Amino acid sequence: MKNTIIISEVSHIGEIHFQVNSCFIEMITKSNPSSKVMFVAEKKHVSAVRFNLELSNIQNLEYLPFEGFYNEEKFKWRSRIIGECKQILKIFKLAALHKNELFIWTCLFPTGHLFLNILLLFKKNTKHIIILHGELELLKGKRKSEIFLGIILKLAFFLSSKKNKYIVLGDNIKKSLKGLLSNSTLDKTYSILHPYNFCVNKENLINKEDYNGLNIGAIGTQMLSKNSNCIYDLGEYFKSEVINNKINLLTIGKVLPELKKYQNGFVRNLYSDSFVSQQKFELEISKLDFVIFFYDNNSYKLCASGAIFEAIRLEVPIISIKNDFFVWLFESFGEFGFLCDDLNEIKHVISELNHQNYKKKNEEFKNNMRQFKIDNNLSKISLKLEAIL
């Protein structure tokens, strides 16, 4: 019987994390060709991953979809916690049938993480790899719910089996964990660069030369924790340029209701209350001259940004508030755009771009992005992942 590896996404549904999960699946299947790999996830998530991997020619992969256990529109703690724990139990039952000893959990909610490690107190012969994402931000949470979940997450780490290994998506993140986690946990925490498939279907893109003015957009879900309200401040500041079509500010992706009070008519919101397909998402990003980010260290000290890799993939330079992850990325691999100390500096940069020819500087940013994609393709990240497994 072939060795079986179970990869599971039990925390998210739909298209959340489908890009990074697709990358992990591709790397693991291709580095373990003699093993059978089973991917367990919610059915919409499975569909997104399956479509994304259509051209990857993976022979040793089986998809096992399950029904979603919480509503994407109406988040409920009870269904989220109980549903995730039930899926973990089902995965253990599945593993018993295949006698596998390697589990890869692509993301776990803190309660699911704790539940898993409690189970592993009684089942010590299996090997578990847990990939850590934005939940690490809970370790420095300020709101009551965040503090509570942060305590649960710390307890999960404390109970973690010696055979468990953790993966964070950036060297700076592991460095930032010092003082937040015990040395024993840090010793079994490994870092790889956030994996991303940089292949692009040129037919999905558009020639930006067909568009006049300076097009600047925020991409992905817009929310207060990402400081997404700042783009409306820019709209007010540049309202004359917006009205005269010299600057075009927009968001591409869902806008949470909490931002409604900031909207002022000077920022276009594309697909703000509906699902946007990956193809349409890429098309709209390809029209941009710059992707703008407002993440600061309150949100992205312990978390990698998948959105910046989408900008790199499509070779659209960025304008961003400085945060530890972006500074580390720029210092390690070259500048991909402009990093600013605060919103006022962003306003200054945009004003300068609006009055100067920025194409030469943009070409430097794009050259760095192209080299980054060569140096950090899946084959190269896979070698590091293989050594961890």
mmCIF file of all heavy atoms in Angstrom, residues 67-111:
data_model
loop_
_atom_site.group_PDB
_atom_site.id
_atom_site.type_symbol
_atom_site.label_atom_id
_atom_site.label_comp_id
_atom_site.label_asym_id
_atom_site.label_seq_id
_atom_site.Cartn_x
_atom_site.Cartn_y
_atom_site.Cartn_z
ATOM 1 N N GLU A 67 -19.400 19.333 3.176
ATOM 2 C CA GLU A 67 -20.335 20.461 3.206
ATOM 3 C C GLU A 67 -19.847 21.515 4.200
ATOM 4 O O GLU A 67 -19.345 21.183 5.275
ATOM 5 C CB GLU A 67 -21.730 19.985 3.610
ATOM 6 C CG GLU A 67 -22.416 19.112 2.568
ATOM 7 C CD GLU A 67 -22.778 19.885 1.310
ATOM 8 O OE1 GLU A 67 -23.059 21.107 1.406
ATOM 9 O OE2 GLU A 67 -22.799 19.264 0.223
ATOM 10 N N GLY A 68 -20.001 22.776 3.828
ATOM 11 C CA GLY A 68 -19.580 23.858 4.722
ATOM 12 C C GLY A 68 -20.339 23.821 6.035
ATOM 13 O O GLY A 68 -21.529 23.499 6.064
ATOM 14 N N PHE A 69 -19.658 24.149 7.129
ATOM 15 C CA PHE A 69 -20.308 24.063 8.437
ATOM 16 C C PHE A 69 -20.603 25.436 9.035
ATOM 17 O O PHE A 69 -21.031 25.539 10.179
ATOM 18 C CB PHE A 69 -19.450 23.231 9.408
ATOM 19 C CG PHE A 69 -18.001 23.643 9.489
ATOM 20 C CD1 PHE A 69 -17.600 24.712 10.255
ATOM 21 C CD2 PHE A 69 -17.035 22.933 8.780
ATOM 22 C CE1 PHE A 69 -16.270 25.080 10.342
ATOM 23 C CE2 PHE A 69 -15.699 23.290 8.856
ATOM 24 C CZ PHE A 69 -15.312 24.370 9.641
ATOM 25 N N TYR A 70 -20.349 26.501 8.272
ATOM 26 C CA TYR A 70 -20.793 27.820 8.735
ATOM 27 C C TYR A 70 -21.122 28.680 7.523
ATOM 28 O O TYR A 70 -20.659 28.443 6.412
ATOM 29 C CB TYR A 70 -19.764 28.502 9.638
ATOM 30 C CG TYR A 70 -18.457 28.920 8.975
ATOM 31 C CD1 TYR A 70 -18.315 30.184 8.412
ATOM 32 C CD2 TYR A 70 -17.360 28.062 8.950
ATOM 33 C CE1 TYR A 70 -17.117 30.574 7.822
ATOM 34 C CE2 TYR A 70 -16.165 28.445 8.379
ATOM 35 C CZ TYR A 70 -16.052 29.699 7.814
ATOM 36 O OH TYR A 70 -14.870 30.078 7.236
ATOM 37 N N ASN A 71 -21.942 29.687 7.753
ATOM 38 C CA ASN A 71 -22.414 30.577 6.705
ATOM 39 C C ASN A 71 -21.391 31.681 6.468
ATOM 40 O O ASN A 71 -20.965 32.357 7.407
ATOM 41 C CB ASN A 71 -23.767 31.187 7.113
ATOM 42 C CG ASN A 71 -24.433 31.931 5.975
ATOM 43 O OD1 ASN A 71 -23.799 32.696 5.265
ATOM 44 N ND2 ASN A 71 -25.725 31.702 5.814
ATOM 45 N N GLU A 72 -21.013 31.879 5.201
ATOM 46 C CA GLU A 72 -20.022 32.912 4.878
ATOM 47 C C GLU A 72 -20.517 34.308 5.223
ATOM 48 O O GLU A 72 -19.731 35.193 5.549
ATOM 49 C CB GLU A 72 -19.674 32.846 3.381
ATOM 50 C CG GLU A 72 -18.941 31.590 2.967
ATOM 51 C CD GLU A 72 -18.692 31.557 1.473
ATOM 52 O OE1 GLU A 72 -17.707 32.173 1.026
ATOM 53 O OE2 GLU A 72 -19.488 30.927 0.762
ATOM 54 N N GLU A 73 -21.826 34.517 5.130
ATOM 55 C CA GLU A 73 -22.389 35.844 5.352
ATOM 56 C C GLU A 73 -22.715 36.108 6.825
ATOM 57 O O GLU A 73 -22.668 37.241 7.279
ATOM 58 C CB GLU A 73 -23.658 36.025 4.511
ATOM 59 C CG GLU A 73 -23.439 35.830 3.014
ATOM 60 C CD GLU A 73 -22.463 36.833 2.428
ATOM 61 O OE1 GLU A 73 -22.444 37.984 2.909
ATOM 62 O OE2 GLU A 73 -21.723 36.466 1.494
ATOM 63 N N LYS A 74 -23.061 35.036 7.567
ATOM 64 C CA LYS A 74 -23.454 35.199 8.970
ATOM 65 C C LYS A 74 -22.569 34.324 9.850
ATOM 66 O O LYS A 74 -22.890 33.170 10.131
ATOM 67 C CB LYS A 74 -24.936 34.836 9.161
ATOM 68 C CG LYS A 74 -25.884 35.743 8.398
ATOM 69 C CD LYS A 74 -27.330 35.330 8.614
ATOM 70 C CE LYS A 74 -28.288 36.236 7.843
ATOM 71 N NZ LYS A 74 -29.694 35.828 8.034
ATOM 72 N N PHE A 75 -21.468 34.895 10.270
ATOM 73 C CA PHE A 75 -20.501 34.136 11.060
ATOM 74 C C PHE A 75 -21.074 33.830 12.448
ATOM 75 O O PHE A 75 -21.587 34.712 13.126
ATOM 76 C CB PHE A 75 -19.210 34.946 11.204
ATOM 77 C CG PHE A 75 -18.115 34.212 11.929
ATOM 78 C CD1 PHE A 75 -17.214 33.434 11.237
ATOM 79 C CD2 PHE A 75 -17.991 34.291 13.305
ATOM 80 C CE1 PHE A 75 -16.207 32.767 11.892
ATOM 81 C CE2 PHE A 75 -16.987 33.623 13.976
ATOM 82 C CZ PHE A 75 -16.092 32.861 13.258
ATOM 83 N N LYS A 76 -20.995 32.550 12.846
ATOM 84 C CA LYS A 76 -21.452 32.143 14.175
ATOM 85 C C LYS A 76 -20.365 31.312 14.839
ATOM 86 O O LYS A 76 -19.865 30.344 14.272
ATOM 87 C CB LYS A 76 -22.753 31.341 14.078
ATOM 88 C CG LYS A 76 -23.953 32.170 13.631
ATOM 89 C CD LYS A 76 -25.234 31.354 13.647
ATOM 90 C CE LYS A 76 -26.430 32.193 13.239
ATOM 91 N NZ LYS A 76 -27.688 31.402 13.243
ATOM 92 N N TRP A 77 -20.005 31.696 16.065
ATOM 93 C CA TRP A 77 -18.929 31.015 16.790
ATOM 94 C C TRP A 77 -19.234 29.535 16.980
ATOM 95 O O TRP A 77 -18.364 28.688 16.774
ATOM 96 C CB TRP A 77 -18.734 31.669 18.166
ATOM 97 C CG TRP A 77 -18.133 33.029 18.099
ATOM 98 C CD1 TRP A 77 -18.770 34.220 18.260
ATOM 99 C CD2 TRP A 77 -16.763 33.352 17.849
ATOM 100 N NE1 TRP A 77 -17.894 35.262 18.127
ATOM 101 C CE2 TRP A 77 -16.647 34.761 17.885
ATOM 102 C CE3 TRP A 77 -15.621 32.591 17.609
ATOM 103 C CZ2 TRP A 77 -15.440 35.421 17.682
ATOM 104 C CZ3 TRP A 77 -14.411 33.243 17.405
ATOM 105 C CH2 TRP A 77 -14.338 34.637 17.447
ATOM 106 N N ARG A 78 -20.473 29.228 17.377
ATOM 107 C CA ARG A 78 -20.813 27.851 17.724
ATOM 108 C C ARG A 78 -20.613 26.920 16.529
ATOM 109 O O ARG A 78 -19.958 25.872 16.644
ATOM 110 C CB ARG A 78 -22.262 27.792 18.229
ATOM 111 C CG ARG A 78 -22.683 26.420 18.736
ATOM 112 C CD ARG A 78 -24.092 26.502 19.350
ATOM 113 N NE ARG A 78 -24.525 25.190 19.818
ATOM 114 C CZ ARG A 78 -25.126 24.281 19.072
ATOM 115 N NH1 ARG A 78 -25.354 24.548 17.794
ATOM 116 N NH2 ARG A 78 -25.487 23.117 19.579
ATOM 117 N N SER A 79 -21.172 27.287 15.374
ATOM 118 C CA SER A 79 -21.048 26.422 14.202
ATOM 119 C C SER A 79 -19.606 26.338 13.732
ATOM 120 O O SER A 79 -19.150 25.291 13.259
ATOM 121 C CB SER A 79 -21.949 26.933 13.069
ATOM 122 O OG SER A 79 -21.639 28.261 12.729
ATOM 123 N N ARG A 80 -18.865 27.418 13.872
ATOM 124 C CA ARG A 80 -17.453 27.434 13.460
ATOM 125 C C ARG A 80 -16.629 26.472 14.321
ATOM 126 O O ARG A 80 -15.868 25.639 13.813
ATOM 127 C CB ARG A 80 -16.903 28.860 13.584
ATOM 128 C CG ARG A 80 -15.423 29.038 13.276
ATOM 129 C CD ARG A 80 -15.133 28.890 11.796
ATOM 130 N NE ARG A 80 -13.735 29.103 11.510
ATOM 131 C CZ ARG A 80 -13.228 30.241 11.056
ATOM 132 N NH1 ARG A 80 -14.009 31.294 10.870
ATOM 133 N NH2 ARG A 80 -11.948 30.344 10.774
ATOM 134 N N ILE A 81 -16.775 26.564 15.621
ATOM 135 C CA ILE A 81 -15.964 25.768 16.546
ATOM 136 C C ILE A 81 -16.349 24.286 16.484
ATOM 137 O O ILE A 81 -15.496 23.414 16.323
ATOM 138 C CB ILE A 81 -16.109 26.312 17.982
ATOM 139 C CG1 ILE A 81 -15.462 27.706 18.072
ATOM 140 C CG2 ILE A 81 -15.469 25.357 18.981
ATOM 141 C CD1 ILE A 81 -15.763 28.439 19.364
ATOM 142 N N ILE A 82 -17.652 24.010 16.598
ATOM 143 C CA ILE A 82 -18.106 22.614 16.590
ATOM 144 C C ILE A 82 -17.842 21.976 15.227
ATOM 145 O O ILE A 82 -17.379 20.827 15.141
ATOM 146 C CB ILE A 82 -19.605 22.531 16.959
ATOM 147 C CG1 ILE A 82 -19.811 22.998 18.407
ATOM 148 C CG2 ILE A 82 -20.132 21.106 16.768
ATOM 149 C CD1 ILE A 82 -21.258 23.078 18.832
ATOM 150 N N GLY A 83 -18.115 22.708 14.160
ATOM 151 C CA GLY A 83 -17.911 22.173 12.816
ATOM 152 C C GLY A 83 -16.468 21.803 12.547
ATOM 153 O O GLY A 83 -16.179 20.740 11.983
ATOM 154 N N GLU A 84 -15.538 22.650 12.975
ATOM 155 C CA GLU A 84 -14.129 22.360 12.746
ATOM 156 C C GLU A 84 -13.682 21.142 13.549
ATOM 157 O O GLU A 84 -12.953 20.278 13.037
ATOM 158 C CB GLU A 84 -13.265 23.575 13.113
ATOM 159 C CG GLU A 84 -11.814 23.407 12.750
ATOM 160 C CD GLU A 84 -11.015 24.690 12.928
ATOM 161 O OE1 GLU A 84 -11.591 25.715 13.358
ATOM 162 O OE2 GLU A 84 -9.809 24.671 12.624
ATOM 163 N N CYS A 85 -14.135 21.042 14.782
ATOM 164 C CA CYS A 85 -13.764 19.885 15.609
ATOM 165 C C CYS A 85 -14.315 18.586 15.020
ATOM 166 O O CYS A 85 -13.630 17.553 15.019
ATOM 167 C CB CYS A 85 -14.275 20.070 17.038
ATOM 168 S SG CYS A 85 -13.417 21.390 17.945
ATOM 169 N N LYS A 86 -15.536 18.634 14.488
ATOM 170 C CA LYS A 86 -16.113 17.447 13.855
ATOM 171 C C LYS A 86 -15.290 17.014 12.637
ATOM 172 O O LYS A 86 -15.053 15.821 12.421
ATOM 173 C CB LYS A 86 -17.558 17.732 13.428
ATOM 174 C CG LYS A 86 -18.565 17.712 14.553
ATOM 175 C CD LYS A 86 -19.972 17.938 14.024
ATOM 176 C CE LYS A 86 -21.011 17.847 15.135
ATOM 177 N NZ LYS A 86 -22.389 18.079 14.614
ATOM 178 N N GLN A 87 -14.843 17.996 11.855
ATOM 179 C CA GLN A 87 -14.052 17.661 10.667
ATOM 180 C C GLN A 87 -12.704 17.051 11.057
ATOM 181 O O GLN A 87 -12.203 16.143 10.396
ATOM 182 C CB GLN A 87 -13.834 18.910 9.806
ATOM 183 C CG GLN A 87 -15.068 19.368 9.057
ATOM 184 C CD GLN A 87 -15.660 18.278 8.177
ATOM 185 O OE1 GLN A 87 -14.949 17.470 7.588
ATOM 186 N NE2 GLN A 87 -16.977 18.249 8.105
ATOM 187 N N ILE A 88 -12.109 17.546 12.141
ATOM 188 C CA ILE A 88 -10.847 16.972 12.610
ATOM 189 C C ILE A 88 -11.042 15.502 12.985
ATOM 190 O O ILE A 88 -10.224 14.642 12.639
ATOM 191 C CB ILE A 88 -10.300 17.790 13.798
ATOM 192 C CG1 ILE A 88 -9.839 19.180 13.314
ATOM 193 C CG2 ILE A 88 -9.139 17.054 14.475
ATOM 194 C CD1 ILE A 88 -9.483 20.135 14.435
ATOM 195 N N LEU A 89 -12.143 15.203 13.686
ATOM 196 C CA LEU A 89 -12.432 13.807 14.053
ATOM 197 C C LEU A 89 -12.645 12.940 12.815
ATOM 198 O O LEU A 89 -12.162 11.803 12.745
ATOM 199 C CB LEU A 89 -13.670 13.754 14.945
ATOM 200 C CG LEU A 89 -13.494 14.251 16.387
ATOM 201 C CD1 LEU A 89 -14.842 14.305 17.098
ATOM 202 C CD2 LEU A 89 -12.518 13.373 17.153
ATOM 203 N N LYS A 90 -13.358 13.473 11.816
ATOM 204 C CA LYS A 90 -13.592 12.723 10.582
ATOM 205 C C LYS A 90 -12.286 12.446 9.842
ATOM 206 O O LYS A 90 -12.111 11.374 9.249
ATOM 207 C CB LYS A 90 -14.555 13.495 9.680
ATOM 208 C CG LYS A 90 -15.989 13.500 10.178
ATOM 209 C CD LYS A 90 -16.901 14.293 9.255
ATOM 210 C CE LYS A 90 -18.333 14.296 9.766
ATOM 211 N NZ LYS A 90 -19.237 15.083 8.887
ATOM 212 N N ILE A 91 -11.368 13.393 9.896
ATOM 213 C CA ILE A 91 -10.076 13.206 9.231
ATOM 214 C C ILE A 91 -9.265 12.118 9.936
ATOM 215 O O ILE A 91 -8.590 11.314 9.297
ATOM 216 C CB ILE A 91 -9.314 14.543 9.171
ATOM 217 C CG1 ILE A 91 -10.001 15.470 8.151
ATOM 218 C CG2 ILE A 91 -7.844 14.344 8.797
ATOM 219 C CD1 ILE A 91 -9.560 16.905 8.207
ATOM 220 N N PHE A 92 -9.357 12.057 11.255
ATOM 221 C CA PHE A 92 -8.673 10.984 11.983
ATOM 222 C C PHE A 92 -9.264 9.616 11.629
ATOM 223 O O PHE A 92 -8.539 8.631 11.509
ATOM 224 C CB PHE A 92 -8.764 11.227 13.492
ATOM 225 C CG PHE A 92 -7.636 12.066 14.028
ATOM 226 C CD1 PHE A 92 -7.745 13.447 14.110
ATOM 227 C CD2 PHE A 92 -6.449 11.475 14.427
ATOM 228 C CE1 PHE A 92 -6.705 14.207 14.590
ATOM 229 C CE2 PHE A 92 -5.392 12.233 14.919
ATOM 230 C CZ PHE A 92 -5.516 13.604 14.996
ATOM 231 N N LYS A 93 -10.585 9.562 11.454
ATOM 232 C CA LYS A 93 -11.218 8.303 11.050
ATOM 233 C C LYS A 93 -10.765 7.901 9.652
ATOM 234 O O LYS A 93 -10.502 6.728 9.376
ATOM 235 C CB LYS A 93 -12.738 8.444 11.102
ATOM 236 C CG LYS A 93 -13.307 8.535 12.505
ATOM 237 C CD LYS A 93 -14.825 8.673 12.478
ATOM 238 C CE LYS A 93 -15.387 8.776 13.897
ATOM 239 N NZ LYS A 93 -16.868 8.947 13.893
ATOM 240 N N LEU A 94 -10.678 8.889 8.768
ATOM 241 C CA LEU A 94 -10.205 8.632 7.407
ATOM 242 C C LEU A 94 -8.773 8.118 7.430
ATOM 243 O O LEU A 94 -8.419 7.160 6.730
ATOM 244 C CB LEU A 94 -10.282 9.931 6.587
ATOM 245 C CG LEU A 94 -9.683 9.904 5.184
ATOM 246 C CD1 LEU A 94 -10.520 8.994 4.280
ATOM 247 C CD2 LEU A 94 -9.623 11.313 4.610
ATOM 248 N N ALA A 95 -7.952 8.744 8.263
ATOM 249 C CA ALA A 95 -6.547 8.348 8.354
ATOM 250 C C ALA A 95 -6.390 6.922 8.858
ATOM 251 O O ALA A 95 -5.486 6.195 8.427
ATOM 252 C CB ALA A 95 -5.807 9.307 9.278
ATOM 253 N N ALA A 96 -7.284 6.512 9.760
ATOM 254 C CA ALA A 96 -7.213 5.143 10.298
ATOM 255 C C ALA A 96 -7.411 4.106 9.199
ATOM 256 O O ALA A 96 -6.812 3.030 9.221
ATOM 257 C CB ALA A 96 -8.260 4.965 11.389
ATOM 258 N N LEU A 97 -8.220 4.433 8.198
ATOM 259 C CA LEU A 97 -8.472 3.513 7.090
ATOM 260 C C LEU A 97 -7.249 3.373 6.186
ATOM 261 O O LEU A 97 -7.016 2.335 5.593
ATOM 262 C CB LEU A 97 -9.668 3.999 6.263
ATOM 263 C CG LEU A 97 -11.027 4.019 6.969
ATOM 264 C CD1 LEU A 97 -12.081 4.635 6.066
ATOM 265 C CD2 LEU A 97 -11.428 2.601 7.373
ATOM 266 N N HIS A 98 -6.474 4.463 6.085
ATOM 267 C CA HIS A 98 -5.329 4.472 5.166
ATOM 268 C C HIS A 98 -3.989 4.301 5.882
ATOM 269 O O HIS A 98 -2.944 4.242 5.239
ATOM 270 C CB HIS A 98 -5.329 5.771 4.366
ATOM 271 C CG HIS A 98 -6.487 5.892 3.434
ATOM 272 N ND1 HIS A 98 -6.464 5.409 2.151
ATOM 273 C CD2 HIS A 98 -7.724 6.421 3.620
ATOM 274 C CE1 HIS A 98 -7.629 5.644 1.563
ATOM 275 N NE2 HIS A 98 -8.417 6.258 2.440
ATOM 276 N N LYS A 99 -4.047 4.238 7.192
ATOM 277 C CA LYS A 99 -2.844 4.018 7.995
ATOM 278 C C LYS A 99 -1.733 5.026 7.697
ATOM 279 O O LYS A 99 -0.560 4.688 7.649
ATOM 280 C CB LYS A 99 -2.320 2.589 7.787
ATOM 281 C CG LYS A 99 -3.316 1.511 8.214
ATOM 282 C CD LYS A 99 -2.764 0.115 8.014
ATOM 283 C CE LYS A 99 -3.773 -0.931 8.448
ATOM 284 N NZ LYS A 99 -3.268 -2.313 8.247
ATOM 285 N N ASN A 100 -2.140 6.274 7.470
ATOM 286 C CA ASN A 100 -1.120 7.289 7.195
ATOM 287 C C ASN A 100 -0.580 7.871 8.495
ATOM 288 O O ASN A 100 -1.242 7.844 9.535
ATOM 289 C CB ASN A 100 -1.681 8.414 6.326
ATOM 290 C CG ASN A 100 -2.572 9.344 7.108
ATOM 291 O OD1 ASN A 100 -3.578 8.915 7.651
ATOM 292 N ND2 ASN A 100 -2.200 10.606 7.172
ATOM 293 N N GLU A 101 0.615 8.398 8.420
ATOM 294 C CA GLU A 101 1.256 8.963 9.612
ATOM 295 C C GLU A 101 1.606 10.436 9.452
ATOM 296 O O GLU A 101 2.127 11.050 10.367
ATOM 297 C CB GLU A 101 2.524 8.171 9.943
ATOM 298 C CG GLU A 101 2.234 6.735 10.348
ATOM 299 C CD GLU A 101 3.491 5.978 10.742
ATOM 300 O OE1 GLU A 101 4.578 6.555 10.614
ATOM 301 O OE2 GLU A 101 3.374 4.820 11.172
ATOM 302 N N LEU A 102 1.311 11.033 8.278
ATOM 303 C CA LEU A 102 1.622 12.436 8.053
ATOM 304 C C LEU A 102 0.349 13.219 7.744
ATOM 305 O O LEU A 102 -0.379 12.910 6.808
ATOM 306 C CB LEU A 102 2.620 12.594 6.896
ATOM 307 C CG LEU A 102 2.969 14.041 6.503
ATOM 308 C CD1 LEU A 102 3.561 14.802 7.702
ATOM 309 C CD2 LEU A 102 3.929 14.066 5.323
ATOM 310 N N PHE A 103 0.102 14.233 8.571
ATOM 311 C CA PHE A 103 -1.025 15.130 8.388
ATOM 312 C C PHE A 103 -0.480 16.541 8.166
ATOM 313 O O PHE A 103 0.418 16.980 8.901
ATOM 314 C CB PHE A 103 -1.928 15.174 9.629
ATOM 315 C CG PHE A 103 -2.580 13.867 9.983
ATOM 316 C CD1 PHE A 103 -1.856 12.837 10.584
ATOM 317 C CD2 PHE A 103 -3.931 13.672 9.749
ATOM 318 C CE1 PHE A 103 -2.464 11.648 10.934
ATOM 319 C CE2 PHE A 103 -4.554 12.480 10.106
ATOM 320 C CZ PHE A 103 -3.814 11.468 10.695
ATOM 321 N N ILE A 104 -1.038 17.242 7.216
ATOM 322 C CA ILE A 104 -0.676 18.646 6.998
ATOM 323 C C ILE A 104 -1.950 19.468 7.113
ATOM 324 O O ILE A 104 -2.901 19.289 6.341
ATOM 325 C CB ILE A 104 -0.013 18.853 5.623
ATOM 326 C CG1 ILE A 104 1.291 18.054 5.565
ATOM 327 C CG2 ILE A 104 0.261 20.330 5.368
ATOM 328 C CD1 ILE A 104 1.933 17.995 4.217
ATOM 329 N N TRP A 105 -1.985 20.339 8.113
ATOM 330 C CA TRP A 105 -3.145 21.193 8.368
ATOM 331 C C TRP A 105 -2.820 22.586 7.823
ATOM 332 O O TRP A 105 -1.947 23.273 8.343
ATOM 333 C CB TRP A 105 -3.449 21.247 9.867
ATOM 334 C CG TRP A 105 -3.597 19.884 10.494
ATOM 335 C CD1 TRP A 105 -2.604 19.109 11.004
ATOM 336 C CD2 TRP A 105 -4.811 19.133 10.629
ATOM 337 N NE1 TRP A 105 -3.115 17.913 11.466
ATOM 338 C CE2 TRP A 105 -4.473 17.898 11.248
ATOM 339 C CE3 TRP A 105 -6.148 19.370 10.305
ATOM 340 C CZ2 TRP A 105 -5.426 16.928 11.552
ATOM 341 C CZ3 TRP A 105 -7.099 18.395 10.590
ATOM 342 C CH2 TRP A 105 -6.731 17.196 11.209
ATOM 343 N N THR A 106 -3.518 22.991 6.753
ATOM 344 C CA THR A 106 -3.147 24.251 6.100
ATOM 345 C C THR A 106 -3.585 25.473 6.898
ATOM 346 O O THR A 106 -3.073 26.564 6.689
ATOM 347 C CB THR A 106 -3.741 24.324 4.688
ATOM 348 O OG1 THR A 106 -5.173 24.288 4.767
ATOM 349 C CG2 THR A 106 -3.239 23.174 3.831
ATOM 350 N N CYS A 107 -4.521 25.305 7.798
ATOM 351 C CA CYS A 107 -4.906 26.396 8.702
ATOM 352 C C CYS A 107 -5.839 25.838 9.763
ATOM 353 O O CYS A 107 -6.663 24.954 9.477
ATOM 354 C CB CYS A 107 -5.609 27.525 7.942
ATOM 355 S SG CYS A 107 -5.861 29.022 8.935
ATOM 356 N N LEU A 108 -5.716 26.319 10.979
ATOM 357 C CA LEU A 108 -6.599 25.897 12.071
ATOM 358 C C LEU A 108 -7.021 27.122 12.875
ATOM 359 O O LEU A 108 -6.194 27.984 13.197
ATOM 360 C CB LEU A 108 -5.898 24.904 12.999
ATOM 361 C CG LEU A 108 -5.632 23.494 12.456
ATOM 362 C CD1 LEU A 108 -4.685 22.746 13.381
ATOM 363 C CD2 LEU A 108 -6.935 22.716 12.293
ATOM 364 N N PHE A 109 -8.291 27.207 13.199
ATOM 365 C CA PHE A 109 -8.784 28.204 14.131
ATOM 366 C C PHE A 109 -8.213 27.846 15.508
ATOM 367 O O PHE A 109 -7.954 26.662 15.774
ATOM 368 C CB PHE A 109 -10.318 28.148 14.141
ATOM 369 C CG PHE A 109 -10.989 29.375 14.680
ATOM 370 C CD1 PHE A 109 -10.747 30.615 14.118
ATOM 371 C CD2 PHE A 109 -11.881 29.287 15.746
ATOM 372 C CE1 PHE A 109 -11.383 31.751 14.605
ATOM 373 C CE2 PHE A 109 -12.513 30.417 16.238
ATOM 374 C CZ PHE A 109 -12.256 31.652 15.665
ATOM 375 N N PRO A 110 -7.949 28.810 16.399
ATOM 376 C CA PRO A 110 -7.339 28.472 17.693
ATOM 377 C C PRO A 110 -8.035 27.347 18.449
ATOM 378 O O PRO A 110 -7.369 26.493 19.050
ATOM 379 C CB PRO A 110 -7.424 29.796 18.466
ATOM 380 C CG PRO A 110 -7.314 30.837 17.403
ATOM 381 C CD PRO A 110 -8.089 30.276 16.236
ATOM 382 N N THR A 111 -9.375 27.315 18.423
ATOM 383 C CA THR A 111 -10.090 26.249 19.123
ATOM 384 C C THR A 111 -9.844 24.895 18.455
ATOM 385 O O THR A 111 -9.707 23.870 19.127
ATOM 386 C CB THR A 111 -11.598 26.547 19.163
ATOM 387 O OG1 THR A 111 -12.044 26.909 17.844
ATOM 388 C CG2 THR A 111 -11.904 27.680 20.125
#
